[in-house]
Amino acid sequence: MLVVDVALVVIATVFALLLRDNLELSVERLQGLFPYLASSGIAAFVVLVVLGSHRTIWRFSAMVDYLRIVAASLAIVVLAMVATFLLQRLDDVPRSLPIMQAVLVVVMLVGPRVWIRVRHARRGTTAASQVLPVASNSEETVLLVGVSALTDLFLRAASQLSENNLKIAGILGRNDRQRGRHLHSYPVLGVPEEVSDVLHRLEVHGIFVDRILVLLPFTDISADARAALLAVEKNSNIRVDFIAERLGLVGPPPASENEAAADVENLPTTMAALEQCARRPYFLVKRICDFAAALMLSLLVLPLGAAIALLVAFDVGYPVLFWQQRPGRHGRPFRVYKFRTMRGAHDHRGRRIPDDQRTSAIGYFLRRTRLDEIPQLYNILVGDMAFIGPRPLLPIDQSREFDGRLLVRPGLTGWAQVAGGRDISAKDKAALDIWYVRNASLLTDLKIVLRTVPMILFGERTDQQLIDAAWRDLHGRQVRDAV
């Protein structure tokens, strides 16, 4: 698939030249454009490998894959222009060609994926419609709650896999505006708060619901809807299943409303004040500046990133990127991307390799200079991260006691990094991060930037005075001793 994608990029470049020259093309014209064509092909190979766009199964492609292709297309064009400029200063490349090339590359890469996906979906729908209904004693009637991506996925899977063992009575939408609409030909009968009335109306028509499937997270449902669903489960034989929680996509729902309220009461007393701090206008301005700076830096370091990707590929092999899931803003999980700096965990015989033997000299250099974190510019562009903020911890190190650090976007560097880095405990890091949430400002961010530079050059150093000040600001010395 990588070869196919690279070939499509080259073909799109030739088509762009054809359109530019009014469908007239000569051998001499192609020869003059050959350096740009070769640069486009090489750039396509590098960018597609780095972004992993060729790994998606076309029939299961989604919008996120198409957006990744758009980003890849822009990167390919920029790299091709830079390489050709270094070779021959773009002498034979028309100015409008890169723009037309970028548009056609997007069309050539996205178009086949969309066509294959639509064709696969139609084939599945046709196959399902050709199955004759068969009476079955095991048939179960379900009512769906929520219109979401999970609902769409469930209906697609049910149409292909249920084999008439599952009958869908209808859907309860998120709000009243969705009433009367259809999703995969199934009607939206009302809202979750009206679940009892909807069940009664269905019974009048001879439809008896056996199970209610809630396809929204428990926290996304209003208190009235929760009460109505729990009342149905308590007063009838209808079972209510929370699918998102059952699949482990979100945390389990509280057993009762009182338990949910207790969870809120158990949060630190500083949470309300921290939430006010996190809603300050400074963080909105900071996000705009982060996006602009990340976009500019992405273009500037693109050649460096491509060179590092090739170096990593030769040093530790594919894939060149490493990702790790971390809790982000408001605890939402996201993937932190880095260049790989370690070889595989097992040798060709399947034996475990110690971590100190997996890191090469190149990998150590990338980690020491923080060049392995260049891919996190993507995280900043899409809003998962900021340049400065609490560094995202592993989920096991993220305690509920310090949820306040999750009120803002995690950062490439932060107060905890310049005050101690990897050598301090997770709780000390959390205290420093919560101090940052309270005291974030332009001056504070400038201090962090100025402290980050010597940290990269000379290594991390623990500043106990900053740690003690953060604890005093957070809870006081007695609370720290108790912890």
Side-chain angles (χ1 to χ4, degrees):
M1 302 313 300
L2 179 60
V3 173
V4 171
D5 282 343
V6 172
L8 289 174
V9 170
V10 175
I11 293 172
T13 307
V14 175
F15 279 172
L17 183 64
L18 274 171
L19 293 176
R20 166 64 177 73
D21 294 345
N22 297 320
L23 301 181
E24 296 180 1
L25 191 63
S26 63
V27 176
E28 293 78 10
R29 187 68 166 141
L30 277 177
Q31 289 176 346
L33 195 68
F34 180 77
Y36 188 76
L37 279 173
S39 300
S40 298
I42 296 173
F45 179 84
V46 173
V47 172
L48 293 174
V49 168
V50 171
L51 295 183
S53 302
H54 64 290
R55 298 180 182 275
T56 305
I57 300 174
W58 286 13
R59 66 179 182 274
F60 297 127
S61 58
M63 181 58 67
V64 65
D65 301 304
Y66 308 145
L67 293 177
R68 189 181 293 117
I69 288 174
V70 173
S73 302
L74 296 177
I76 290 168
V77 172
V78 171
L79 274 178
M81 291 177 63
V82 170
T84 310
F85 178 81
L86 295 176
L87 289 174
Q88 61 176 32
R89 304 185 64 83
L90 295 172
D91 290 337
D92 295 321
V93 179
R95 294 181 180 180
S96 60
L97 180 63
I99 299 175
M100 301 174 68
Q101 178 195 19
V103 174
L104 286 177
V105 167
V106 172
V107 173
M108 294 290 286
L109 294 182
V110 173
R113 286 167 167 82
V114 172
W115 181 75
I116 292 293
R117 178 184 175 180
V118 171
R119 183 167 174 259
H120 175 74
R122 287 179 178 176
R123 184 168 54 188
T125 304
T126 303
S129 64
Q130 292 175 348
V131 178
L132 294 176
V134 179
S136 173
N137 294 329
S138 62
E139 183 179 78
E140 184 180 41
T141 301
V142 299
L143 178 66
L144 307 184
V145 176
V147 175
S148 65
L150 187 56
T151 311
D152 176 68
L153 180 62
F154 178 85
L155 291 174
R156 289 180 181 275
S159 67
Q160 298 183 28
L161 304 176
S162 66
E163 297 182 354
N164 297 305
N165 292 325
L166 190 69
K167 180 180 179 182
I168 298 173
I171 305 170
L172 298 180
R174 281 178 174 265
N175 50 60
D176 201 59
R177 292 193 302 272
Q178 296 176 346
R179 189 193 304 270
R181 297 182 180 272
H182 289 75
L183 181 61
H184 290 269
S185 76
Y186 296 104
V188 177
L189 303 174
V191 293
E193 291 81 356
E194 303 171 347
V195 59
S196 295
D197 295 337
V198 171
L199 291 173
H200 291 151
R201 291 202 302 269
L202 290 173
E203 290 176 1
V204 170
H205 294 287
I207 300 174
F208 297 89
V209 174
D210 302 301
R211 187 156 54 116
I212 296 175
L213 302 181
V214 183
L215 297 162
L216 294 172
F218 185 84
T219 54
D220 287 0
I221 304 174
S222 68
D224 292 339
R226 298 177 195 172
L229 291 169
L230 295 176
V232 168
E233 186 175 37
K234 181 179 179 180
N235 300 322
S236 67
N237 295 324
I238 301 174
R239 189 169 80 252
V240 178
D241 283 336
F242 293 88
I243 302 302
E245 287 78 5
R246 184 178 290 273
L247 292 175
L249 301 177
V250 295
S256 66
E257 291 296 321
N258 293 333
E259 185 177 343
D263 286 342
V264 176
E265 293 173 358
N266 288 333
L267 293 175
T269 56
T270 58
M271 279 298 292
L274 288 174
E275 288 175 357
Q276 290 293 331
C277 293
R279 286 196 289 265
R280 284 179 296 158
Y282 175 71
F283 285 103
L284 177 59
V285 176
K286 186 170 178 287
R287 169 59 192 152
I288 297 173
C289 295
D290 282 339
F291 177 82
L295 183 61
M296 181 177 63
L297 282 176
S298 297
L299 297 175
L300 291 176
V301 304
L302 194 58
L304 176 62
I308 293 176
L310 289 174
L311 197 61
V312 170
F314 285 113
D315 183 37
V316 298
Y318 295 105
V320 297
L321 291 182
F322 166 80
W323 64 267
Q324 198 171 54
Q325 186 165 288
R326 303 283 181 98
R329 189 185 181 199
H330 300 311
R332 297 188 183 96
F334 75 102
R335 290 183 174 184
V336 177
Y337 291 97
K338 295 183 178 183
F339 283 119
R340 282 183 61 198
T341 57
M342 303 178 72
R343 298 186 179 92
H346 300 85
D347 60 17
H348 64 282
R349 296 182 179 178
R351 293 176 299 188
R352 180 78 181 183
I353 302 175
D355 288 347
D356 57 351
Q357 298 179 16
R358 293 172 56 197
T359 304
S360 65
I362 294 175
Y364 176 79
F365 172 77
L366 293 177
R367 295 179 69 175
R368 179 69 177 77
T369 57
R370 301 298 198 277
L371 290 175
D372 63 323
E373 296 182 0
I374 286 179
Q376 289 172 36
L377 289 173
Y378 166 79
N379 291 117
I380 298 175
L381 276 174
V382 299
D384 289 334
M385 293 180 63
F387 279 103
I388 298 173
R391 188 68 181 162
L393 301 176
L394 289 169
I396 193 173
D397 294 328
Q398 179 57 53
S399 170
R400 279 295 301 272
E401 184 182 2
F402 300 109
D403 276 353
R405 66 188 303 278
L406 300 177
L407 292 174
V408 298
R409 289 180 176 85
L412 274 175
T413 184
W415 197 240
Q417 278 60 52
V418 300
R422 302 184 182 94
D423 297 330
I424 61 176
S425 68
K427 290 190 175 182
D428 282 344
K429 289 180 182 178
L432 290 163
D433 289 335
I434 291 178
W435 181 92
Y436 173 78
V437 174
R438 284 182 167 181
N439 298 279
S441 65
L442 178 60
L443 181 60
T444 303
D445 286 350
L446 289 176
K447 289 180 180 179
I448 293 174
V449 172
L450 293 176
R451 284 175 171 266
T452 299
V453 175
M455 180 188 71
I456 294 176
L457 295 176
F458 306 112
E460 297 172 343
R461 185 175 58 183
T462 301
D463 191 330
Q464 193 61 43
Q465 291 183 351
L466 293 181
I467 298 174
D468 292 338
W471 277 104
R472 286 195 301 269
D473 185 66
L474 178 59
H475 286 306
R477 293 181 181 272
Q478 295 82 0
V479 174
R480 184 189 176 188
D481 294 337
V483 173

